[in-house]
Amino acid sequence: MNRIRIAGTISNIEHSHECMGEVFNSFIIESGRTSGVVDVLNCIAPSILTKELVDGGSYELLGQIRTRNVDVDGKRRLEIFIFVTEINEYSGKDCNEVELVGTICKTPIFRETPLGREICDLLIASNRERSRKSDYIPCVTWGRTALRMSDAQIGEICAIKGRLQSRYYNKKLENGLDEMRIAYELSISSITKGECLCQ
């Protein structure tokens, strides 16, 4: 299972690529949190779904979180985006809801913030339906849940609910300068471990 429902304002609609004769477009969706922070997320959709889209319009998107490795300045980076399967006009509040079932594929990283808040980073592999490919999704959880997940084992299956978020950070470059970058991660609101989770 890999589902996302997100609503917000879209912009930057442009051609992305073609695959097996089908044309795909890319665009950005901005979706606000209740805190006032706005997540800025990349989307790709079949062009047939984007014909009626208006730059600056409000829409609800249904789809999946997808990842792929891309070459950036000679280095491989994980690109995270929403693969859109349905688009609807929308006039309600922004929303961002993810349901995901996947496998822990990297040892969890547990740490504390300078203010003492616990954080645990997870990397979850989610198999695509009717495909041999998997998407590798960075996830983050907090507090007691972070503590509980800190001893999770590679290969454990997890069912997750949360939201796909963006955040800016400063990257220290080899020349000593800082570069502003953007990271994407699934912020976990609930997670269940177990071998018998329903797909």
Side-chain angles (χ1 to χ4, degrees), residues 16-158:
S16 172
H17 66 281
E18 294 185 25
C19 182
M20 299 179 68
E22 187 171 16
V23 178
F24 294 84
N25 288 339
S26 64
F27 56 92
I28 289 170
I29 186 164
E30 297 183 17
S31 183
R33 307 181 202 172
T34 54
S35 65
V37 174
V38 176
D39 293 303
V40 181
L41 304 168
N42 298 309
C43 304
I44 293 178
S47 62
I48 194 168
L49 295 180
T50 65
K51 287 182 178 179
E52 305 299 323
L53 294 186
V54 176
D55 215 61
S58 296
Y59 297 91
E60 174 197 58
L61 312 179
L62 304 178
Q64 301 172 345
I65 301 174
R66 292 278 179 92
T67 64
R68 62 184 177 188
N69 285 309
V70 295
D71 288 317
V72 179
D73 298 328
K75 295 182 179 179
R76 300 284 279 174
R77 287 191 185 164
L78 188 69
E79 183 179 84
I80 301 170
F81 59 96
I82 299 169
F83 183 77
V84 180
T85 56
E86 184 178 331
I87 302 176
N88 303 302
E89 290 187 6
Y90 190 76
S91 58
K93 293 182 179 179
D94 289 1
C95 69
N96 184 334
E97 303 165 353
V98 175
E99 291 182 288
L100 180 73
V101 173
T103 304
I104 295 174
C105 59
K106 188 176 180 182
T107 301
I109 299 172
F110 178 81
R111 64 190 193 281
E112 291 187 6
T113 68
L115 297 177
R117 191 176 186 195
E118 298 95 347
I119 304 174
C120 188
D121 295 313
L122 304 168
L123 187 64
I124 302 294
S126 178
N127 296 330
R128 296 184 191 176
E129 294 180 7
R130 299 181 293 277
S131 173
R132 294 182 179 180
K133 295 183 178 180
S134 296
D135 296 294
Y136 295 88
I137 302 166
C139 301
V140 61
T141 187
W142 310 84
R144 291 181 183 174
T145 306
L147 196 57
R148 178 168 58 87
M149 294 304 299
S150 64
D151 63 355
Q153 301 298 307
I154 293 173
E156 284 191 273
I157 297 173
C158 297

